[in-house]
Amino acid sequence: MPDAAANNPRRPVRHHGVAYWWRALVGVLLVILGLLIGGGGAWLIALGGSWYYLPAGIALLLAGILLLAGNMAGVWLYVLTWLATLAWAYWEVGLDGWALMPRTLAPTIILIFVLLAMPAFRDRTRRGGRNAAYVTGLLLPIAALAAFGFLHINASAQSQPAQPPAPAAQSAPKGAPASQDAAIHQAGNDWPVYGGSELGTRYSPLDQITAANVAKLTRVWSFHTGDMPTGATKDLYSPENTPLEIGGHLYACSAKDIVISADARSGKEEWRYDPKVPDNTIPYGASCRGVAYFAAPGANADQACATRIIFGTLDARLIAIDAKTGRPCSDFGQQGSVDLNQGIGETVPGWYSITAPPTIVRGIAIVGAQVKDGQAENAPSGVVRGYDATTGKLTWAWDMGHPDRTGAPPQGDTYTRGTPNMWTVAAADPQLGYVYLPLGNAAVDYYGVDRKGFENELNSSIVAIDVTTGKPVWHFQTVYHDLWDYDLGSQPTLVDFPTVTGKIPAIIVPSKQGQIYVLDRKTGKPLFPVEERKAPSGGVEPDKLSKTQPYSGYAHLDQPALTEKDMWGMSPLD
């Protein structure tokens, strides 16, 4: 029989070619995405989130069904959905290129897929309809890509952060010291103290290396300490050393407190001293942040230990060695070593460790300790002690639980257990005779019901101690009833701060919350207002929490609270 379709010019012959299957594939893709995005959108609405995804998912689902049915309306419905998505994305994140990308890139790629399906819609009622469909299906994706590219490039350009101006170099405090004991050792040709100077300015006035020539620097030498983890310690090494440079000699310490002197010009090792720290005394990680340098007053230059390196160890020893030879100083403590476990009481290897260099002020080496977090409420004391840098004798001990005494505890007693400790680096003003202690948390950090009054008062505080008496002069607290372990973990910086009435000797204190406080370093009074802001409540001890927390009026690095608009992944599905 003759083919009826062949004799009927109005009925098209169905040839399921590439365009047909492409349209079907895109239709299935839109149906799947519509179900996923619509279902997730319904869940988001139930959680109080965005209302965009549910209608977008429904539109994708309908567009997919229309495409599968061979209805051109599916193409235009998706085009409208894409345009609405661009508008929504701009409303939600503005011209933030990185945030726009995941909201618009995947929908744009799918738009290309949809437009490439247009040749499947052949219109035989008009001459040239098929060719027009092909041309449209090819040109529209190109136009879509061009529009998207322009939008993204423009957004990226506008979202680039402005570069801040280069900060002015901090000039060193002026004024001759009253005596050699009160000298401030400033960085220059040497780097004599951990922070550049006792002031913790971390500033060098040297200007040979500039932005113009730094790219031309080449390596002259490299040095390896040889202190490498083995066996059980392979995951416990975290070297954090900042070397000293004095008179052409570099003084550095390795992860397990091996002190090394090297020629600064050649990198050749001059000597090393290994205190033989046992592996079981490593706390969170094997760290030695640095050492201290001290020139004994009145000593002959040729005398043993006239200049010395003083440092603490992970197993709680304070050691002094000759800066020229690396040999222990026999006049310091017991043949060059002081046992810092004296007066601490019951402890466990790794619970009480020295990881920061002592701060030496007016001949007194001030040392705190890292007390391992979260181990026991009856943890070792956070006592801070000052030792004579020449003899190693205890000069004073600041035990906040016993403000009435400045010496060692009586026989059979210990320093107050579990008190806030100073594990980081102190700063000092040798001319004032003050050392500034950044304190951490009382044990056990995240639970404070049983804390004593003085612990709550001094937790997460900067404390000024008079090095001649060992007594506190003032303190400033950065977190009240700290249950978040917001230790003051950075060495503060001492500067002459400019004000409308002239320069004021100040201390700049950064905190873990991104608050930067500026205080008068003589009195501890803020130079800028400190606002009391309402703080969250709840938890396991709601009646103990502070209703407010201090907020710096000078500067802060915190950002606004995260919202749904700040969130994005690789695609709208994320």
Side-chain angles (χ1 to χ4, degrees):
M1 292 180 61
D3 188 345
N7 296 325
N8 185 356
R10 294 184 179 274
R11 177 182 293 180
V13 179
R14 297 187 181 276
H15 297 289
H16 296 333
V18 173
Y20 172 87
W21 291 112
W22 180 259
R23 186 194 71 198
L25 175 65
V26 174
V28 170
L29 176 64
L30 291 184
V31 168
I32 294 173
L33 291 177
L35 291 172
L36 291 174
I37 292 179
W43 185 23
L44 275 180
I45 291 174
L47 295 172
S50 172
W51 280 70
Y52 159 77
Y53 296 94
L54 178 58
I58 293 172
L60 289 179
L61 178 62
L62 292 176
I65 293 172
L66 289 170
L67 284 179
L68 289 173
N71 192 326
M72 183 71 174
V75 173
W76 304 122
L77 177 57
Y78 184 81
V79 170
L80 289 174
T81 305
W82 178 75
L83 292 172
T85 297
L86 292 184
W88 163 78
Y90 177 77
W91 169 79
E92 190 164 67
V93 298
L95 289 176
D96 182 345
W98 282 111
L100 277 175
M101 178 70 74
R103 289 170 167 85
T104 56
L105 178 59
T108 301
I109 292 173
I110 295 171
L111 173 68
I112 296 171
F113 289 175
V114 171
L115 295 178
L116 286 173
M118 289 183 69
F121 300 98
R122 299 193 298 269
D123 184 1
R124 289 180 175 268
T125 61
R126 295 185 182 179
R127 187 175 179 181
R130 182 174 179 177
N131 292 335
Y134 275 113
V135 171
T136 305
L138 288 172
L139 291 180
L140 281 179
I142 296 172
L145 273 177
F148 176 78
F150 174 78
L151 175 66
H152 178 63
I153 292 170
N154 187 54
S156 298
Q158 294 193 39
S159 65
Q160 291 298 317
Q163 295 299 314
Q170 172 64 49
S171 61
K174 294 181 173 59
S179 67
Q180 183 61 33
D181 255 356
I184 297 174
H185 300 89
Q186 299 285 4
N189 291 330
D190 290 340
W191 191 267
V193 188
Y194 173 85
S197 77
E198 293 86 350
L199 306 177
T201 51
R202 294 176 283 281
Y203 168 72
S204 171
L206 302 183
D207 57 6
Q208 263 189 313
I209 299 173
T210 67
N213 64 24
V214 66
K216 300 176 183 178
L217 291 179
T218 58
R219 186 175 69 182
V220 177
W221 56 261
S222 61
F223 186 89
H224 299 273
T225 68
D227 183 5
M228 297 294 291
T230 58
T233 66
K234 65 179 181 178
D235 297 323
L236 295 178
Y237 269 45
S238 50
E240 302 176 11
N241 181 244
T242 298
L244 304 183
E245 194 283 332
I246 300 161
H249 305 281
L250 281 175
Y251 300 103
C253 58
S254 72
K256 279 181 60 180
D257 303 315
I258 298 172
V259 178
I260 301 167
S261 173
D263 185 289
R265 182 174 294 275
S266 68
K268 182 180 179 181
E269 181 174 320
E270 297 168 326
W271 55 256
R272 71 170 49 208
Y273 175 81
D274 187 351
K276 306 293 184 184
V277 172
D279 285 346
N280 68 346
T281 61
I282 297 175
Y284 312 105
S287 300
C288 178
R289 293 186 179 86
V291 299
Y293 178 89
F294 179 69
N300 188 300
D302 297 326
Q303 181 180 332
C305 288
T307 56
R308 57 188 63 190
I309 302 297
I310 303 177
F311 64 101
T313 63
L314 297 175
D315 59 351
R317 287 176 285 160
L318 187 65
I319 297 175
I321 55 178
D322 192 318
K324 292 182 179 179
T325 65
R327 298 190 183 97
C329 298
S330 58
D331 60 347
F332 185 88
Q334 299 295 318
Q335 297 301 309
S337 178
V338 172
D339 182 7
L340 296 177
N341 281 312
Q342 291 179 351
I344 293 300
E346 182 182 358
T347 186
V348 173
W351 278 21
Y352 190 83
S353 304
I354 315 301
T355 58
T359 300
I360 301 178
V361 188
R362 297 194 178 186
I364 298 172
I366 297 99
V367 61
Q370 174 184 288
V371 179
K372 199 170 182 180
D373 289 348
Q375 304 302 307
E377 202 169 28
N378 188 37
S381 177
V383 61
V384 178
R385 288 171 281 187
Y387 292 88
D388 188 296
T390 302
T391 66
K393 291 181 179 178
L394 179 68
T395 304
W396 50 259
W398 179 55
D399 177 1
M400 63 185 71
H402 287 284
D404 53 319
R405 67 188 187 205
T406 56
Q411 188 70 28
D413 197 0
T414 67
Y415 296 111
T416 308
R417 307 279 292 178
T419 53
N421 59 300
M422 183 190 73
W423 55 267
T424 188
V425 186
D429 183 337
Q431 295 177 335
L432 273 180
Y434 291 173
V435 63
Y436 302 93
L437 313 179
L439 294 187
N441 259 349
V444 286
D445 297 286
Y446 302 107
Y447 184 69
V449 167
D450 298 327
R451 286 183 190 158
K452 302 174 182 66
F454 63 84
E455 291 175 325
N456 278 326
E457 182 182 356
L458 295 168
N459 234 38
S460 303
S461 293
I462 187 80
V463 181
I465 301 286
D466 187 327
V467 297
T468 60
T469 64
K471 294 280 190 180
V473 182
W474 58 259
H475 80 275
F476 176 84
Q477 190 168 39
T478 61
V479 185
Y480 309 140
H481 197 77
D482 185 0
L483 299 177
W484 302 278
D485 199 22
Y486 282 151
D487 302 339
L488 288 178
S490 303
Q491 182 187 33
T493 299
L494 311 186
V495 299
D496 290 337
F497 200 90
T499 70
V500 292
T501 58
K503 292 184 177 180
I504 296 178
I507 178 169
I508 301 176
V509 182
S511 77
K512 281 188 179 178
Q513 308 95 290
Q515 302 294 306
I516 301 175
Y517 301 96
V518 183
L519 315 173
D520 185 316
R521 69 175 183 256
K522 293 181 180 179
T523 65
K525 293 180 179 178
L527 298 184
F528 295 84
V530 175
E531 179 186 352
E532 295 292 329
R533 291 195 178 182
K534 187 177 179 181
S537 59
V540 296
E541 43 183 302
D543 57 323
K544 299 285 186 178
L545 298 186
S546 174
K547 297 185 184 305
T548 63
Q549 292 292 345
Y551 201 89
S552 172
Y554 170 65
H556 53 85
L557 304 178
D558 59 322
Q559 299 296 316
L562 289 174
T563 69
E564 189 177 88
K565 293 181 180 181
D566 300 309
M567 303 176 193
W568 44 273
M570 290 295 292
S571 74
L573 281 175
D574 299 311

